[in-house]
Structure formats: C-alpha cells, structure tokens
Amino acid sequence: MNPLSQHDGAPAVVLVVDDDATTRYVLSSWLRRAGHTVLEGPDGTAGLELLDLPGTPVVEAAIVDINLPDMSGFQVCEAIKASPRTADIPVIHVSAVALSPDDHARGLQGGADAYLNQPIDRDEMLATLTATLRYTRARRRAEHLALRLRTLNRTCLDVYKAVGFHSFAAAATGGAASLMSCPATAVFLTPEGQVVHSVVPGPLETPRLTPARPDVLNRLSAQALGAGTGAEIAEIPRALWHALMPSDPLRGDVFLIVARTKRSRPPLCIAVPAEALHSTEDRELLQQLAVASALALESLRSYAEEHSLALALQKTFLPDRLPSVPGIELAFRYLPASAHAEIGGDFYEALETADGLLVAIGDVVGHSLAAATVMGEIRHALRAYALEGHPPHHLQTRLEFLLAHSRPGITVTLCLILIEPGGRRIHVSNAGHIPPLLVEPDGRVRFLQDHGPLLGLGLPHPAPTVHDTAPATRLIMLTDGLVEERGRDLDESLRDFVAAVSSGPAGLEELSDMLLRTFGTKKDDDIALLAIRLD
C-alpha cells in the first residue's frame, strides 16, 4: 500500500531503540498488540543502521531512549533529522533518568516530536504515537499534494503553450505519466482529423505516436462520457481494455478518463494503470489534466481551421499567374508563413500598362487576417490606378490617400518598378520597402537605394528614380521575410543575399529556387520573391 494513501490511524513500522532488553520488549509488545510492525535496536548505532539496511520496511516513527551505551538518544535524533532521507521520521524520546524540563527542552529543540518519562503508561505512549503519526502523515500528504499540484500546473502550462500537435502530445501524455508516476496512454484526434494513439512508458519519457482506428474514440467515449461534455472516469477491466485497445501496452485493469469541451466535437481519452490511482484526490487531479488537455487541443484544432481558411483567403488576393511580355522574363515565388505563425500581408503584382510593364512587391505591416485583407485592398487598388495610366509616384500618392481614409494607422511598404517598352529604362518608386537588387550583365550587383517614406504616414512621395538598363539585366525584388533573422543584423543578411545572387544560377527559375533553399527555410514570416530579366 502506498503510505500516502493510508488513513491517519493505520498501523506503522516503528523503530524502538533501547539498551534495556526488558524495556525494549515491553514497548515492542505494546506496539505489536496495537497492530504496528516493530524493528528493534539495542543501541544508537544499530538503530541508525536499521534505517539504511536494504530490504527493511520503511520506518514511519522512532521511539528512542536517551541513555544509550554508544551515544545519547539526543545524538540519534539529530542524526535522523540531519539526513534528507529520514528527516521527516517523527522521534519520540523516552527516559527514566533525564526527566527535568531542561532535558525535555533539549530533546524537543534537537528535533524530537515528543518526550515521555518512564515509567511509561501504555495508553499514553500509543496515543502519543498515533498523534505524531497523524501529524506526520497529514504533512506528507500536503507536501505530496503540493508537489503534484506543481506538476499539474506545469503540465497544463505545457499543453496550453503547445504550438503543434507533437508538442501537445508530449505535454499531455507525458504530463499524465509524471502526475501519476506511471505509464500513460492517450487517444485523440489531431487538428488534421487523424485519430492517434499516444503511449509513454513512464515519467520524463518520450511518447510514441501511432495511427488508430477511426472508431476507437467513440468506443472509448461510450465507456465513460458518452456524448456529453466535461470529464468522466471509469475503471475498465483488463479483458475489456484489451478488446478496445489490443495494441496498447497497458495490460491490466485501467482507469480511463474521457474529456470533451463541446458537444459534437471529438473527445480526448487518457488511461493509466488502475493501481496508479489510490484516492479521490488522484482521480480529480487526472480529470483536471484531461480537461486542460481537451481545451488546449480544441484551441489547436480551432487555430488550424482558422489558419487554413485565412491562407485560402490570402491566396485569393494574390495573382495566380504573371503576364507574358516580349523581351521580359518573369519568375515569382510565394511562401506563406509556417503553420504555427499568423498570416502576413506580403504581396506581388505584374501588370501591363500603356507606359510599360509595372511590377510591384509590398508588405502590409503586421501579421493577422486584417493584414491580409488590407493587402488585398492595396493590390486591387494598385491595379485600378495603374490601368488609369498614373506614373509610379502618383500611384503611391493615391494609395496613401486610400489608406488615410479607409485604414488609418496601417502602414505598408511598397516598391514599384515601371519597365519601359523595350526594357532599356526602368522607373523605381520605393515606399520604405527593401530596395530591389540590380544584377548587371557583367555580374556587378547593387541595391537601388533611392526610396521614399512608407505608405500610411501621410508624407509626400518623390518622383521615381530612372535607371538605364542593358540587355540581360536582372532585377530581384523581395520581402523581408526572406532575409530577416531574429538576433541577426539585417545588413549582414543582405550582404549574404547579394553574395548568393552573385554566385547563383543565371536562370531565373533556378536562381529563385536556390534563394528559397538558402534563405527561406524555418521562417515565421511570409516570403515573396520576384525575379526579372530584361532581354
């Protein structure tokens, strides 16, 4: 039996240390008749050795005589209290000679929990032992509960902050194993709709995930919660558990907790060996963990659904193809942020106008569905204004006016390049965006640094800068998601980018792929890239 699950008056293992054989026999007899298990030591050394002897029962209390042949009872008590392994064992001093109040004070100050003078009354000794055991067991339960509550709190924080299914599975299943100090099994539905069986062999172990039959969640839920909400627990006999989960490593009787946060949503199921739960407190702690895990998993599912819808909406704002213009080759790449990041407002555009081909790349500041929506508005307004025949800096001015009236407080970076027919001159109007990279036919590479203020600040936009271009000139336009890295200076990243372009493939498609492989992995921001060759 787990000592922490014993009631306060349950028998205990008691160590009696006394050099007088008759007294030791009398005390031990009284204790044994009361149901206690007794270990006897004729002196202090023998008594302390019994506490460390392999195979001996765990001592819960010690009755120690003061006058011993090798050391005093005070010293025995101090040795017991000095060891972290035995410090919580209550010590009751007994003595026929050290009877003064000073002796009592010395014993109690040295760590003893009680002090009895001889001759000892049987009932008083047993009552004193029961009182010290009651206090010690209550303290141990409180300390154990505090430790488990800290474990529960840490596990709940882990499941709530999980940003992906695998980290959630490790937190939920591993948390159950740590909380109950046993193997644990969990079955739940991933945000992608796959039923998964998660198994962890013990505390601090890594869970093993395997697919499970689609109907297993309903079968498990029927054993405890049914179609309801909340969290319910049921004891499942070994034969039934094996029929429900034939591949599960838990082979004995189990306790199954089923939790569901909303009706018609899939439940979360956690199972542990039946012998791991000793009390109502154990069940309540595991139920709290199951509820927290179900809430966290529901949030992950909701986020995955919303993120998928937002990405679908974001894609509708971007062009699905670019125009084909004689003498100009175009390549584009677009990578949305990772599945665990908010969507952004990166966009690109290429549009044939009466004055030439207008190419654009921009970024709405911020990451949210609202940023993506503003991106769509800016792109569609840009197309409309460009088809009216406005030059690049007038396009910036009109978009500035649009933001001031419809989206005050929103800022946007936008780089526009108008390529004249024939491709021999370009007009660059840059509103606070990363400057475009110009690669000349002889291999020289430079950023076109001229730019104006961000859109949304209400500032005037200068006329575009005009650059002459030779045949086979290439232009690279990008958003900051491709080159920005946390903790690294942007200028350093841009220098690496220039070096990669200088030594990279001449073909636009090959160059674009290489740049994404080199700079676009493990990023938490959207990435847009436009590559242009003027032939």
Side-chain angles (χ1 to χ4, degrees), residues 144-157:
H144 185 61
L145 177 59
L147 176 63
R148 299 178 75 191
L149 287 174
R150 287 198 297 270
T151 302
L152 175 64
N153 181 62
R154 183 177 63 251
T155 301
C156 290
L157 290 175

Side-chain angles (χ1 to χ4, degrees), residues 15-18 27 44 61-68 71-77 80 90-95 114-116:
L15 171 65
V16 176
V17 181
D18 199 310
L27 294 177
I63 299 176
V64 182
D65 185 26
I66 295 298
N67 290 327
L68 297 171
M71 64 181 76
S72 71
F74 300 134
Q75 292 173 313
V76 174
C77 178
I80 291 174
V91 175
I92 300 173
H93 278 320
V94 295
S95 181
Y115 200 114
L116 298 175

Side-chain angles (χ1 to χ4, degrees), residues 504-526:
L508 297 188
E509 298 292 341
E510 295 80 5
L511 178 63
S512 298
D513 290 337
M514 183 274 292
L515 292 175
L516 287 186
R517 286 195 306 269
T518 306
F519 298 94
T521 58
K522 298 180 180 180
K523 295 296 182 68
D524 55 3
D525 197 0
D526 291 352

